[in-house]
Amino acid sequence: IITGKEIAERMKKVKKKIGVLSGKGGVGKSTVSALLAVHYAREGYQVGIYDVDFLGPSIPRLFGIERKKYEMILSRDGLEPVYSDRLGIRVVSIQFLLPKSETPVMWRGVAVNQAIRTFLGGCSFGELDYLIFDFPPGTGEAPLTVMDFVELDGIVMVTIPHDLSYMVVEKALKMAEKFDTEIIGLVENMSYFICPKCGEKHNIFLGEDSEILAAKYGIERVIKIPIDLKLAKFADRGRIEDYGIDYFEDFDY
Amino acid sequence: IITGKEIAERMKKVKKKIGVLSGKGGVGKSTVSALLAVHYAREGYQVGIYDVDFLGPSIPRLFGIERKKYEMILSRDGLEPVYSDRLGIRVVSIQFLLPKSETPVMWRGVAVNQAIRTFLGGCSFGELDYLIFDFPPGTGEAPLTVMDFVELDGIVMVTIPHDLSYMVVEKALKMAEKFDTEIIGLVENMSYFICPKCGEKHNIFLGEDSEILAAKYGIERVIKIPIDLKLAKFADRGRIEDYGIDYFEDFDY
Ligand SMILES: Nc1ncnc2c1ncn2[C@@H]1O[C@H](COP(=O)(O)OP(=O)(O)O)[C@@H](O)[C@H]1O
Ligand SMILES: Nc1ncnc2c1ncn2[C@@H]1O[C@H](COP(=O)(O)OP(=O)(O)O)[C@@H](O)[C@H]1O
Ligand SMILES: [Zn+2]
């Protein structure tokens, strides 16, 4: 059984722990988590991603490393993460441990919480500058389980224009407060579209203005990512590390 | 208490009953339900919409008639639907009966099923050519409750490219089979984007091809609707009846 002490020992070696949250599924949270990790890795930092989204793990797929499951071996230091091909990002995901045909929707409640702890305390993340937690969608159990054991340095909230609301951001803020951490950035994904042919930018105005919301709640950073068909292709083909545009270029954290 | 007999009596006066389903929320199902109703109304048919989405009713808002709640009066024929401003579409929605501040998320299980039956048997829809059922997202309880009492003539399935999958369509097909009805159309919403400036069409290829899926499952009609920023504006402002483009123009049902 993994103790809080073991987890604390592991987390001591990680300089910054960032949780990525969303109000609901399908807003691009996993894609954003991966982009953030790639951003830091390209700056030369040691980066890890903990894919906490047990019911819908997508990090291995984004990096094209699902087949590397046999690399998640048990060494005397613990469970070794799988390294991404290009940037050596350390990836930990339940997907690596599942038999091919089994979908994680088999997992429920207690089992998931146990597994989350096991990974936190049992994985040999090593020395890291940044560890990105890709949480399941929503502000439910899993983030709480992690935050019980890990002091996150900050939370990045991912939304899409249609879902941008006071309610969703307030919920995330309460959670951040409850765990003595802060929302370090608001990502408005699929916020505009740039025509590949004529270069015209088309804003997608639906719901609240992310910058007004951020200002109201003292969230210092707003990152707007367009509906990017090329990004979707790279993501779909497991080549997120090769994607040329760094949407977190001006993210100063 | 509303009996199955009462419901059958009401439904006898409705020529075609069409259910609109989606695999999950946020794919534009309500918007599509409204567009379908507007399509028929513009062709001169008598149309009704039954907003069965009790936890997230959006039909009154799409038609800009939330304030007409006091028009949903109880006559000797039953509960009168509210007529839309421009096309006289008959709208029935739990939203008309809720106190302003109450969000329907208060409702649970049994209460919802009771309410669904009450509306089905208690609303005086009158003689209609088409009655559109805007179901809650997913293939859960509510559609089943309705289909227990109403013989739907057909189901329209709404998806977005990212969610288009065999699993989701198969689930809908099983449901249709179970209730002895068929999927009369597959709507792939947000399937492409037309640049308002240069007119270039950009396809959003993610997940399965809707036409291949439809062919595989014998679904005769595929309707592709683009990400349409102008439509989103009209929808947002409750002016769906004024929106000029009829995406169901070639829908031959
Ligand atoms: N900015 C974007 N532009 C285009 N496609 C995107 C964008 N962000 C995410 N996607 C696509 O949308 C889908 C959902 O993204 P994902 O990261 O899995 O969402 P979530 O983790 O919130 O469920 C994926 O197919 C992904 O490639
Ligand atoms: N084709 C489209 N283009 C642009 N916006 C759309 C389109 N379809 C739906 N929307 C917008 O997306 C949001 C979700 O649509 P909605 O019909 O409420 O979805 P659902 O009923 O599936 O939850 C709304 O803001 C709506 O105006
Ligand atoms: Zn253009």
Side-chain angles (χ1 to χ4, degrees):
Chain A
I1 183 113
I2 302 283
T3 60
K5 190 166 185 296
E6 263 175 292
I7 293 174
E9 287 301 308
R10 298 280 189 193
M11 292 297 109
K12 266 208 199 97
K13 299 182 189 162
V14 178
K15 292 209 183 87
K16 293 282 188 207
K17 305 158 201 77
I18 301 175
V20 184
L21 283 180
S22 67
K24 65 173 205 181
V27 302
K29 170 191 51 64
S30 299
T31 307
V32 165
S33 300
L35 287 174
L36 184 58
V38 167
H39 162 78
Y40 287 132
R42 283 179 182 164
E43 300 209 316
Y45 293 112
Q46 293 303 318
V47 185
I49 302 184
Y50 178 7
D51 183 0
V52 200
D53 191 353
F54 282 29
L55 302 188
S58 39
I59 298 294
R61 186 173 45 81
L62 281 163
F63 285 88
I65 54 174
E66 309 97 302
R67 314 227 166 144
K68 286 192 167 194
K69 59 163 68 198
Y70 304 112
E71 292 182 23
M72 196 173 196
I73 50 167
L74 193 59
S75 74
R76 68 159 179 232
D77 271 341
L79 212 50
E80 294 297 320
V82 175
Y83 286 70
S84 69
D85 293 330
R86 214 181 228 269
L87 298 163
I89 294 170
R90 301 170 206 188
V91 180
V92 161
S93 171
I94 194 75
Q95 191 163 49
F96 292 128
L97 301 178
L98 295 171
K100 190 152 184 252
S101 53
E102 185 171 320
T103 49
V105 276
M106 308 281 162
W107 291 66
R108 284 289 172 264
V110 174
V112 174
N113 287 347
Q114 289 278 26
I116 289 176
R117 285 179 67 153
T118 302
F119 272 28
L120 275 176
C123 285
S124 141
F125 286 102
E127 310 265 344
L128 288 176
D129 296 301
Y130 292 94
L131 177 57
I132 310 294
F133 292 82
D134 180 19
F135 284 128
T139 40
E141 272 276 341
L144 300 177
T145 304
V146 169
M147 296 208 238
D148 274 338
F149 299 109
V150 180
E151 272 187 52
L152 290 177
D153 295 284
I155 285 177
V156 169
M157 186 71 197
V158 183
T159 64
I160 47 177
H162 169 58
D163 294 336
L164 202 52
S165 70
Y166 288 93
M167 206 165 72
V168 143
V169 177
E170 282 191 6
K171 237 179 157 200
L173 277 161
K174 283 209 184 69
M175 194 176 218
E177 242 177 7
K178 195 171 175 204
F179 291 96
D180 200 29
T181 185
E182 54 165 339
I183 307 241
I184 58 173
L186 180 64
V187 175
E188 189 183 15
N189 193 22
M190 311 210 222
S191 132
Y192 58 95
F193 180 82
I194 292 184
C195 176
K197 181 163 192 192
C198 73
E200 185 83 348
K201 178 182 180 186
H202 305 290
N203 279 316
I204 300 186
F205 290 121
L206 293 164
E208 304 294 341
D209 184 293
S210 50
E211 313 209 305
I212 292 181
L213 258 185
K216 171 171 160 84
Y217 291 109
I219 296 172
E220 293 180 13
R221 301 163 194 86
V222 177
I223 298 96
K224 292 187 180 179
I225 300 177
I227 295 176
D228 181 339
L229 305 178
K230 208 152 152 253
L231 168 64
K233 275 212 186 78
F234 274 71
D236 210 46
R237 292 170 193 177
R239 294 184 53 208
I240 197 105
E241 285 183 299
D242 298 337
Y243 191 60
I245 303 178
D246 180 3
Y247 288 112
F248 282 97
E249 189 172 19
D250 300 333
F251 187 65
D252 64 340
Y253 188 84
Chain B
I1 182 111
I2 303 282
T3 60
K5 191 165 185 295
E6 263 174 291
I7 292 174
E9 287 301 307
R10 299 279 189 194
M11 293 298 108
K12 263 208 203 100
K13 299 183 191 162
V14 178
K15 292 209 182 87
K16 292 282 189 211
K17 305 158 200 78
I18 300 173
V20 183
L21 283 179
S22 67
K24 64 174 207 183
V27 303
K29 171 191 53 63
S30 299
T31 307
V32 165
S33 300
L35 287 174
L36 184 57
V38 167
H39 161 76
Y40 286 133
R42 282 179 182 164
E43 300 208 321
Y45 292 111
Q46 293 302 318
V47 185
I49 301 183
Y50 178 6
D51 183 2
V52 199
D53 192 353
F54 281 30
L55 302 188
S58 38
I59 298 294
R61 185 173 46 80
L62 280 162
F63 284 88
I65 53 174
E66 310 96 303
R67 314 224 166 149
K68 286 194 169 193
K69 60 163 69 202
Y70 303 112
E71 293 182 24
M72 198 174 195
I73 51 169
L74 192 59
S75 74
R76 68 159 178 232
D77 270 340
L79 212 50
E80 292 298 322
V82 175
Y83 286 70
S84 69
D85 293 330
R86 216 182 225 267
L87 298 163
I89 294 170
R90 301 170 207 187
V91 180
V92 161
S93 171
I94 194 74
Q95 193 164 48
F96 292 128
L97 302 178
L98 295 171
K100 191 155 184 249
S101 53
E102 186 171 321
T103 47
V105 277
M106 309 280 160
W107 292 65
R108 284 289 173 261
V110 173
V112 174
N113 288 347
Q114 289 277 28
I116 289 175
R117 285 179 67 152
T118 303
F119 272 29
L120 275 176
C123 286
S124 141
F125 286 103
E127 309 265 344
L128 288 176
D129 295 301
Y130 292 94
L131 177 57
I132 310 296
F133 292 82
D134 181 20
F135 284 128
T139 38
E141 272 274 345
L144 300 177
T145 304
V146 169
M147 298 208 239
D148 273 339
F149 299 109
V150 180
E151 270 187 53
L152 290 177
D153 295 285
I155 285 177
V156 168
M157 187 72 197
V158 184
T159 64
I160 47 177
H162 168 58
D163 293 335
L164 202 53
S165 70
Y166 287 93
M167 206 165 73
V168 144
V169 178
E170 281 191 5
K171 237 178 156 200
L173 277 161
K174 282 209 184 71
M175 196 178 217
E177 241 177 9
K178 195 171 175 203
F179 291 95
D180 201 30
T181 185
E182 55 165 337
I183 306 240
I184 57 174
L186 180 64
V187 175
E188 189 183 16
N189 193 22
M190 311 210 221
S191 133
Y192 59 94
F193 180 81
I194 292 184
C195 176
K197 181 164 190 189
C198 73
E200 184 83 346
K201 177 181 180 186
H202 305 291
N203 279 317
I204 299 186
F205 290 122
L206 293 164
E208 304 295 341
D209 185 294
S210 49
E211 315 209 303
I212 291 179
L213 258 185
K216 170 172 162 83
Y217 290 110
I219 297 173
E220 294 180 11
R221 302 165 193 84
V222 176
I223 298 97
K224 292 186 179 178
I225 300 177
I227 295 176
D228 182 340
L229 305 179
K230 208 151 151 255
L231 167 64
K233 276 212 186 79
F234 273 71
D236 211 44
R237 291 170 193 179
R239 294 186 52 210
I240 198 106
E241 285 183 298
D242 299 337
Y243 191 60
I245 302 177
D246 179 3
Y247 289 113
F248 282 96
E249 188 170 21
D250 301 330
F251 187 64
D252 64 340
Y253 186 83

